[in-house]
Amino acid sequence: MHILNLRILKRLLKGTGIIALVLTLAIGVTGVWLYNQAQQSNVGNLKFDNPIAIPPLLEPRTDDEGRKVFDLTITAGKAELIPGKRTDTWGINGPYLSPTLRASQGDEVLINVTNDVNEPTSLHWHGMHLPAAMDGGPHQMIKPGATWSPTWTINQPAATLWFHPHLHGTTAQHVYRGVAGLFLLDDPESQVLELPHSYGVDDIPVIIQDKRFNSDRSLNTESPMFSDIGILGDEILVNGTHAPYFEATTTLVRLRVLNASNARIYNLGFNGNRVYSLIGTDSGLLEAPVAMTRLQLAPGERAELVVQVAPGEDVMLRSFPPDLGMDFWAEQVNGGNDTFDILNIRTAGPLVESPPLPSDLVTIDRPEEATATTTRSFRLSGHSRINGEKMDMNRIDEAVTVGTSEIWEIRHGSGPIHSFHVHDVHFIVLDVDGQEPPAHLQGWKDTILIPRGTSVRIIARFDDYTDPEAPFMFHCHMLMHEDRGMMGQFVVVEPGG
Ligand code: C2O
Ligand code: CU
Ligand code: CU
């Protein structure tokens, strides 16, 4: 708009005349109007009197082979996303979002995913370490009416993972309609920690999504005029609840936050700059809680926060304007100046005193930089390219040798902000622009924000699950970028493969 404006202004000034001046003024006014239109906030406008929906925990059955079996059906339905309005949505075993899955290290799981919508889709286990053929990426399409039944053994640290469709070209639409859920993993080390752990009581799922509605109450799926990251909504939902509140009954509340939005970046904090503890990131708990007042969360990322509350307090989880590292205009149209109240935490009566947060959490078995045998570079550019190429389902971009550690260097080449995600493995951030990563990037990650001008180096072990036929994906998790081709494929192979 800016640039357009200037160009038009120049041309008009050459011709001069009063008409030109009037036109210029009109364009200027429109520009200011558009600029202001782009800024979103709900602060002070909502009552937050809707009790937060807690996705039910899906109880598995056990089959004769001792596997935990979960049955999921992707369906179309109608959900009351805004109270009093019914919106056409998709969900799993219900009209919107999914029940939560939960399993422990060592469990063998079998998941029957039935496609009951009239389009092909897929279901990907984001953050899960598993064989590529079970991953649910673009190659594991589920046709309408079909059931796909991946099975694997849980073999990774306790974490808050999630799942969502991943068909190439339609991921953004399918996720936006409502297909997403949490997959919680436990392990023996985390189970003995005195952390809040009663699901729905003091251990709360917080799936944050932004939506935009048409006047007929349908979901508006269009990207705002100038956004180059995709759909940005002006209404915020948590677990599908608009303007939600949670009634705390304990002095510590653990929030398992998932940014399941298509494009919006949240900068999470509380009213009054309340200090909270970050205890976990995407793929595991941290070594020790980190005191924070703000945390930026990109699409696909998770964070486990513990907040302390006292009786009578009124606490608001809020997204403050994120720093997208863009220029003035781009920040504005991509959500960089937006503020949203997200979840109100209230108390009623006396609270049960929670045990204090442990000062040490888990040990992280970090891959050593010196052990890496290969370094690869990935340059993210525009809206659709990695290393200059768009995703091609028939091209394998990288072959990783099993049993090795690799360093991947991810560079912001051009375009707006990106969010880089790798399937199969979880990684450790070695450095951000050559500097030691901040405390909140010192744990296991599988998705990382890549602002303009930034370059990060990550390290991961590729220990098992070779398959020369079935690739894993790496991609930008801004879903519009992913669908447009900012994705590549790697296989894990035997030495020499
Ligand atoms: Cu959350 Cu490849 O996806
Ligand atoms: Cu993934
Ligand atoms: Cu991107």
Side-chain angles (χ1 to χ4, degrees):
M1 194 57 213
H2 241 45
I3 296 160
L4 197 81
N5 238 334
L6 282 177
R7 220 183 282 150
I8 292 172
L9 187 69
K10 261 192 203 156
R11 208 181 303 151
L12 289 178
L13 286 180
K14 259 183 207 160
T16 60
I18 193 90
I19 296 168
L21 246 165
V22 168
L23 267 174
T24 308
L25 263 171
I27 290 166
V29 167
T30 314
V32 170
W33 180 79
L34 280 169
Y35 183 84
N36 287 328
Q37 276 298 99
Q39 184 168 330
Q40 304 290 346
S41 174
N42 66 5
V43 176
N45 300 339
L46 300 170
K47 286 214 194 81
F48 284 84
D49 53 6
N50 303 311
I52 185 176
I54 303 292
L57 276 176
L58 188 60
E59 271 307 314
R61 51 196 166 81
T62 310
D63 70 3
D64 345 326
E65 291 167 55
R67 296 184 292 196
K68 286 189 175 169
V69 183
F70 297 92
D71 297 314
L72 303 182
T73 303
I74 302 172
T75 60
K78 283 183 187 296
E80 218 176 284
L81 298 180
I82 300 288
K85 301 181 178 186
R86 283 161 74 78
T87 300
D88 286 324
T89 52
W90 282 9
I92 294 179
N93 299 2
Y96 193 75
L97 295 179
S98 167
T100 297
L101 307 188
R102 184 157 210 163
S104 300
Q105 191 152 41
D107 283 347
E108 208 178 327
V109 297
L110 167 70
I111 308 186
N112 299 308
V113 186
T114 300
N115 177 356
D116 197 25
V117 292
N118 54 10
E119 280 179 46
T121 188
S122 83
L123 204 61
H124 163 60
W125 319 105
H126 180 129
M128 197 71 77
H129 177 51
L130 78 184
M134 309 296 169
D135 194 36
H139 294 274
Q140 285 90 42
M141 181 196 281
I142 316 170
K143 298 224 172 82
T147 299
W148 175 62
S149 301
T151 178
W152 71 94
T153 300
I154 306 294
N155 174 24
Q156 66 189 92
T160 302
L161 309 186
W162 68 299
F163 46 95
H164 60 80
H166 211 302
L167 213 57
H168 190 40
T170 57
T171 295
Q173 282 300 317
H174 292 186
V175 174
Y176 190 69
R177 286 174 195 165
V179 187
L182 287 175
F183 204 140
L184 310 185
L185 297 185
D186 302 301
D187 68 9
E189 197 183 5
S190 70
Q191 255 151 348
V192 299
L193 286 173
E194 279 200 296
L195 292 173
H197 65 270
S198 293
Y199 184 80
V201 178
D202 60 5
D203 184 352
I204 313 300
V206 179
I207 304 173
I208 307 178
Q209 296 176 303
D210 58 336
K211 303 287 171 201
R212 189 173 284 276
F213 294 90
N214 296 314
S215 49
D216 69 350
R217 297 161 190 187
S218 57
L219 283 175
N220 183 328
T221 57
E222 277 156 44
S223 301
M225 226 181 309
F226 301 106
S227 165
D228 35 22
I229 52 177
I231 296 170
L232 286 174
D234 53 353
E235 304 285 359
I236 307 291
L237 306 177
V238 177
N239 306 339
T241 310
H242 184 249
Y245 75 88
F246 168 72
E247 204 168 274
T249 55
T250 56
T251 55
L252 292 185
V253 179
R254 175 185 191 170
L255 304 175
R256 296 186 189 243
V257 183
L258 158 66
N259 182 353
S261 307
N262 284 43
R264 189 175 282 288
I265 289 147
Y266 300 94
N267 185 15
L268 299 174
F270 291 90
N271 54 335
N273 286 329
R274 175 178 294 259
V275 177
Y276 58 88
S277 301
L278 176 71
I279 61 164
T281 51
D282 305 337
S283 274
L285 293 170
L286 296 175
E287 286 169 319
V290 178
M292 315 267 302
T293 53
R294 296 285 188 275
L295 176 67
Q296 295 212 154
L297 215 58
E301 285 188 305
R302 287 88 65 211
E304 295 194 31
L305 321 178
V306 175
V307 59
Q308 178 153 21
V309 293
E313 275 186 326
D314 196 13
V315 179
M316 185 65 84
L317 175 66
R318 181 173 288 163
S319 177
F320 295 87
D323 180 8
L324 307 181
M326 298 182 181
D327 60 51
F328 187 67
W329 172 260
E331 281 275 339
Q332 177 81 352
V333 296
N334 290 298
N337 295 321
D338 296 354
T339 311
F340 289 108
D341 281 345
I342 293 177
L343 171 64
N344 186 209
I345 301 175
R346 301 177 190 166
T347 60
L351 300 175
V352 175
E353 186 72 30
S354 309
L357 264 193
S359 49
D360 293 307
L361 298 172
V362 297
T363 44
I364 293 180
D365 176 21
R366 294 165 195 280
E368 289 294 330
E369 185 173 344
T371 63
T373 49
T374 308
T375 300
R376 296 175 204 269
S377 306
F378 301 92
R379 193 168 38 83
L380 313 181
S381 30
H383 300 159
S384 60
R385 288 172 199 274
I386 299 180
N387 291 343
E389 307 235 53
K390 285 190 183 189
M391 162 79 167
D392 179 345
M393 294 270 291
N394 300 313
R395 181 189 71 230
I396 302 294
D397 299 275
E398 313 287 342
V400 174
T401 304
V402 72
T404 64
S405 296
E406 295 203 352
I407 295 171
W408 287 17
E409 184 191 7
I410 302 109
R411 281 191 298 131
H412 187 289
S414 63
I417 197 159
H418 304 298
S419 170
F420 191 78
H421 168 51
V422 190
H423 288 210
D424 177 30
V425 290
H426 35 266
F427 56 76
I428 290 291
V429 181
L430 288 174
D431 42 52
V432 178
D433 290 332
Q435 307 290 313
E436 193 194 348
H440 69 272
L441 292 180
Q442 300 245 354
W444 289 120
K445 295 279 296 163
D446 55 49
T447 306
I448 184 166
L449 193 65
I450 311 286
R452 266 194 192 160
T454 300
S455 125
V456 303
R457 289 194 317 140
I458 61 175
I459 184 166
R461 281 192 202 100
F462 297 83
D463 279 336
D464 40 20
Y465 301 137
T466 58
D467 188 338
E469 306 295 327
F472 291 105
M473 306 295 131
F474 55 87
H475 58 89
C476 181
H477 220 288
M478 309 301 278
L479 298 183
M480 181 183 91
H481 295 179
E482 174 182 346
D483 278 341
R484 289 191 182 176
M486 195 178 283
M487 177 153 67
Q489 316 195 81
F490 72 96
V491 286
V492 180
V493 293
E494 297 295 341

